[in-house]
Amino acid sequence: MPPFIRLETSADHARSEALTRAAFWNIYQPGCHEHHYLHQLRAHPAFRPDLTFVCEEEGELAGVIACSSSHIALDGGGRLDTVTFGPLAVHPHFQKRGLARALVCHALRAARDAGEHAAVILGDPRHYGRYGFWCGERFGISMENGQFLPGLQAVELRPGALSNAAGRFHEGFPYAPDEAALAAFDAAFPPLEPAVTPSQEEFRFMCSLGHEVIPNGFM
Ligand SMILES: CC(C)(COP(=O)(O)OP(=O)(O)OC[C@H]1O[C@@H](n2cnc3c(N)ncnc32)[C@H](O)[C@@H]1OP(=O)(O)O)[C@@H](O)C(=O)NCCC(=O)NCCS
């Protein structure tokens, strides 16, 4: 049976944050920031509550995908509004059952139905190609600082939406760590031990793969 997916409500907030913390803990760094980002995102103007979904399994909140507005500042002038998701989290107890797949597909379809043209995210390229994402570089989309990163992933929600979208990607919500605020926020959760893990090294390597484009290549 497909998982039950619905919009997140305020009654879900604490459980969404707890499952996000459980999912991200020690994966990309010792501890994690993502449950705090999720909390902060909901109070940010870029937040898209109409595109933020949870899924339930066995009567429990098992996963969440939170969306926000973002845009590409086009090289040719003007901007293309885009949608971004993150955090995307599935509680470890419910992973590897297709819940992330169901949440991503549901959110992208809902974004398309809401009139969005394209989604741009920062995530593991090994994970997102299966949903139709390409590296932003394919469309000429770089980070705000002009770097092309494999983790900058873009997908058209309408055919051709990114065919003239070369430019710089701007997140609507700044995923910027605030250690003091995080520590205060995290204190309300059950204690967990931060640890160094191999997945953090892998993530650092992935983040180091960015590059700038030299105009005219090697010529
Ligand atoms: C990533 C995550 C959401 C996947 O949830 P899930 O419900 O287990 O995923 P699914 O069952 O839908 O599996 C989707 C596929 O992605 C793969 N996958 C899972 N996590 C992945 C990751 N971090 N990077 C790349 N691929 C991943 C799975 O192995 C699976 O591949 P398969 O279909 O070939 O077996 C979950 O592992 C999680 O919450 N991880 C911690 C937080 C995180 O990394 N979020 C994503 C940030 S980019």
Side-chain angles (χ1 to χ4, degrees), residues 116-119 132-134 139 154-164:
E116 298 298 332
H117 289 87
F133 281 86
W134 296 89
F139 305 105
V155 66
E156 295 180 336
L157 301 176
R158 293 166 196 284
L162 293 174
S163 49
N164 292 304

Side-chain angles (χ1 to χ4, degrees), residues 19-20 22-25 27-28 34 62 64 85-92 94-104 121-128 130-131 202 206:
L19 82 84
T20 298
F24 277 92
W25 194 261
I27 299 286
Y28 298 108
E34 283 76 7
V64 61
F85 63 73
L88 160 69
V90 172
H91 190 283
F94 295 107
Q95 288 177 4
K96 306 243 177 251
R97 302 182 185 187
L99 297 190
R101 177 181 287 270
L103 280 166
V104 171
I121 61 158
L122 282 161
D124 190 329
R126 294 169 299 180
H127 193 34
Y128 293 105
R130 73 193 72 208
Y131 304 113
E202 200 180 47
M206 187 91 68

Side-chain angles (χ1 to χ4, degrees), residues 127-206:
H127 193 34
Y128 293 105
R130 73 193 72 208
Y131 304 113
F133 281 86
W134 296 89
C135 287
E137 188 168 5
R138 177 187 167 105
F139 305 105
I141 305 166
S142 69
M143 299 291 288
E144 208 173 324
N145 65 5
Q147 264 212 336
F148 290 102
L149 273 187
L152 182 64
Q153 297 277 298
V155 66
E156 295 180 336
L157 301 176
R158 293 166 196 284
L162 293 174
S163 49
N164 292 304
R168 296 185 180 211
F169 174 59
H170 292 250
E171 287 175 322
F173 171 75
Y175 295 87
D178 176 342
E179 299 298 342
L182 170 66
F185 180 70
D186 204 52
F189 291 83
L192 281 176
E193 208 52 52
V196 173
T197 61
S199 63
Q200 295 165 13
E201 183 58 36
E202 200 180 47
F203 178 60
R204 266 196 300 278
F205 174 69
M206 187 91 68

